[in-house]
Amino acid sequence: SYLSMLYSLALSNGGDKRWWIAAALACTLGMASKENMVSAPLIALLYDRTFLAGSFRQALALRAKLYMGLAATWLLLGFLLIARPHGESIGFATELGSWVYLLNQCTVIADYLYKSIWPHPLILDYGFPLPLTLGDIWPQGLMLIGLLAMTGWTLYRHPPIGFCLALFFAVLAPTSSFVPIVNEVGAERRVYLPLAALIAVVITAAYSALGQTTARHRTFVAILGLVLAAFSWRTLDRNHDFHTPMALARTVVAAVPHNPRGQTYLGLALVEAGHVQQGIQHYQRAIALRPTFGEAHNNLGIALGKLGRHTEAIPCYQTAIAHYPRLTQAYNNLGNALLSIDRTQEAIAYYREAIDRRPAYADAHNNLGIALATTGQINKAQNHFRRALEIRPDFPAARKNLEISKRSNRP
């Protein structure tokens, strides 16, 4: 949508109002889809000033209606942010301060820029923000300040280059500035669109540096071919990391060992592959890195349950619930652990809690049915087996339990 808006503006050549409408429509669709479109109306004006009108005043004078329409899309974005907020994970009311998040972004943006040159190591999950100080990031901070200063200077002296640099920072700013995103300090997908601006600068600069002769054109094509070959090889190599969940999780842990989510991913992959004890070790590392990480506590409980250590699993689920009450699976898992050690009434209470929180939770209905059947409440048990099958018709365990309960209920 961002590029479509700019492309429509370019095709309008400043005066074709049909393309103004297309630009406004693209901007509207973008605002309805992604918050990083917030800078789009300003970048459209900067594009106009740089490539069409020659000045902000002239751009606004000639195309006031266009920019009023683009600015109006901010109302849609504001409405959506109010109507569908991100909850506790994004915003100034989070536990993470804007200053600490900004310091983290200095290291993250520097990493983005490095990977723009050579994309290795690529990281699926950058993890949570770290408690950094100014002393931890001063080299990256100075570099970014220098780049921002260069952007301002080129906007004045070399507007086309300045526009590309400004576009890079403007698109990246909503996610990589001072607005805290607690659960994800960085993500390579955030830089895909900003990279288009940097690539345009690099390609244009390289082409211009080689001059206009045929020999230099051939040199440019040869160099470009080598670069494309290198990146193609890197892409094929990266694809191997996606062959198995374990291989992908290992790349996350290798690149960001302090990422508790990465440790949890690897633990889950190991457990699913049958290496339960090794998986437990990675869950424990994740908890040591972030004691409030509910998913790691929940997964640790599951792994302990696979080893028959249900009593040890119970406090894991309880801690998961305490730190992450919305993790419905933990209530169901806690019920399973309690049922395994014959604390049936307590298990029933947690199964009901899981269902209250997620009424269409087929596993919890099935497990509650089993617990009720254990206490002789066959009719109630059958109701929950039937409900589980309504939610998930291809649920063989619930179907089997329902048939068993019917046989046991016959006079």
Side-chain angles (χ1 to χ4, degrees), residues 56 58 107 168 184 250 260 276 339 371 373 377 381 385 400-401:
F56 290 119
Q58 187 71 0
T107 63
F168 174 83
E184 193 175 42
R250 288 191 187 282
V276 180
L339 188 63
Q377 303 177 66
F385 293 142
K400 179 180 178 181
N401 290 333

Side-chain angles (χ1 to χ4, degrees), residues 109-410:
I109 295 174
D111 185 62
Y112 291 160
L113 290 171
Y114 161 73
K115 288 175 181 172
S116 301
I117 300 170
W118 183 242
H120 179 80
L122 295 175
I123 303 172
L124 179 69
D125 189 328
Y126 277 69
F128 299 93
L130 297 174
L132 300 177
T133 65
L134 196 58
D136 297 320
I137 59 89
W138 68 266
Q140 297 95 330
L142 287 177
M143 181 192 71
L144 288 178
I145 291 172
L147 288 174
L148 288 169
M150 184 175 71
T151 299
W153 180 79
T154 53
L155 277 171
Y156 176 69
R157 296 299 300 270
H158 304 284
I161 296 176
F163 170 80
C164 292
L165 297 178
L167 177 61
F168 174 83
F169 286 111
V171 177
L172 204 55
T175 55
S176 299
S177 56
F178 57 87
V179 181
I181 302 177
V182 174
N183 61 346
E184 193 175 42
V185 68
E188 286 161 1
R189 65 181 181 277
R190 295 177 186 168
V191 79
Y192 294 163
L193 179 58
L195 266 183
L198 294 187
I199 291 171
V201 171
V202 171
I203 294 295
T204 303
Y207 188 81
S208 299
L210 289 170
Q212 300 299 318
T213 65
T214 302
R216 290 181 176 179
H217 284 181
R218 290 173 179 170
T219 302
F220 173 78
V221 171
I223 293 173
L224 185 60
L226 290 174
V227 171
L228 291 176
F231 284 146
S232 298
W233 170 81
R234 182 69 195 100
T235 299
L236 292 172
D237 186 59
R238 174 60 171 169
N239 286 341
H240 290 296
D241 296 334
F242 287 84
H243 283 183
T244 66
M246 191 180 301
L248 187 58
R250 288 191 187 282
T251 65
V252 176
V253 171
V256 195
H258 60 264
N259 179 2
R261 258 198 316 262
Q263 297 287 349
T264 303
Y265 294 154
L266 183 53
L268 179 61
L270 287 164
V271 169
E272 290 181 345
H275 309 296
V276 180
Q277 197 58 53
Q278 293 180 44
I280 287 174
Q281 293 173 4
H282 284 282
Y283 291 146
Q284 290 171 336
R285 288 178 200 166
I287 292 168
L289 289 166
R290 192 176 180 88
T292 61
F293 191 27
E295 292 181 24
H297 287 284
N298 179 66
N299 288 4
L300 176 58
I302 294 171
L304 291 170
K306 287 180 179 291
L307 297 177
R309 295 156 62 179
H310 302 292
T311 302
E312 295 176 60
I314 288 172
C316 295
Y317 298 132
Q318 291 171 332
T319 304
I321 290 170
H323 292 306
Y324 192 8
R326 290 181 293 178
L327 187 59
T328 313
Q329 185 190 37
Y331 296 90
N332 180 64
N333 293 339
L334 180 51
N336 290 340
L338 291 166
L339 188 63
S340 297
I341 58 174
D342 297 324
R343 292 164 61 177
T344 308
Q345 293 302 325
E346 293 175 76
I348 288 173
Y350 279 104
Y351 290 140
R352 291 192 187 281
E353 180 70 20
I355 292 169
D356 287 342
R357 291 174 175 271
R358 195 204 305 175
Y361 195 173
D363 288 300
H365 280 286
N366 180 61
N367 292 335
L368 178 55
I370 294 171
L372 290 170
T374 302
T375 63
Q377 303 177 66
I378 304 300
N379 291 332
K380 291 183 179 180
Q382 289 178 355
N383 291 336
H384 285 284
F385 293 142
R386 291 190 181 98
R387 179 62 183 136
L389 289 169
E390 288 174 6
I391 297 167
R392 196 197 308 167
D394 57 339
F395 195 171
R399 191 172 302 282
K400 179 180 178 181
N401 290 333
L402 179 59
E403 292 302 321
I404 293 172
S405 69
K406 288 180 178 178
R407 289 196 297 270
S408 66
N409 204 29
R410 289 171 185 165

Side-chain angles (χ1 to χ4, degrees), residues 27-172:
C27 192
T28 301
L29 294 174
M31 292 288 184
S33 306
K34 200 76 172 176
E35 289 88 343
N36 66 357
M37 282 292 294
V38 66
S39 62
L42 298 177
I43 288 296
L45 180 61
L46 182 60
Y47 178 90
D48 198 342
R49 169 260 186 189
T50 303
F51 298 103
L52 300 175
S55 70
F56 290 119
R57 179 178 296 180
Q58 187 71 0
L60 291 171
L62 293 174
R63 287 171 279 280
K65 291 182 179 179
L66 169 63
Y67 293 109
M68 288 175 62
L70 294 179
T73 62
W74 280 326
L75 298 175
L76 173 61
L77 178 60
F79 169 77
L80 292 174
L81 288 174
I82 294 171
R84 302 183 65 181
H86 289 281
E88 300 175 355
S89 62
I90 300 176
F92 298 105
T94 62
E95 61 185 25
L96 181 69
S98 296
W99 176 246
V100 173
Y101 186 76
L102 181 63
L103 295 179
N104 275 266
Q105 290 313 299
C106 290
T107 63
V108 170
I109 295 174
D111 185 62
Y112 291 160
L113 290 171
Y114 161 73
K115 288 175 181 172
S116 301
I117 300 170
W118 183 242
H120 179 80
L122 295 175
I123 303 172
L124 179 69
D125 189 328
Y126 277 69
F128 299 93
L130 297 174
L132 300 177
T133 65
L134 196 58
D136 297 320
I137 59 89
W138 68 266
Q140 297 95 330
L142 287 177
M143 181 192 71
L144 288 178
I145 291 172
L147 288 174
L148 288 169
M150 184 175 71
T151 299
W153 180 79
T154 53
L155 277 171
Y156 176 69
R157 296 299 300 270
H158 304 284
I161 296 176
F163 170 80
C164 292
L165 297 178
L167 177 61
F168 174 83
F169 286 111
V171 177
L172 204 55

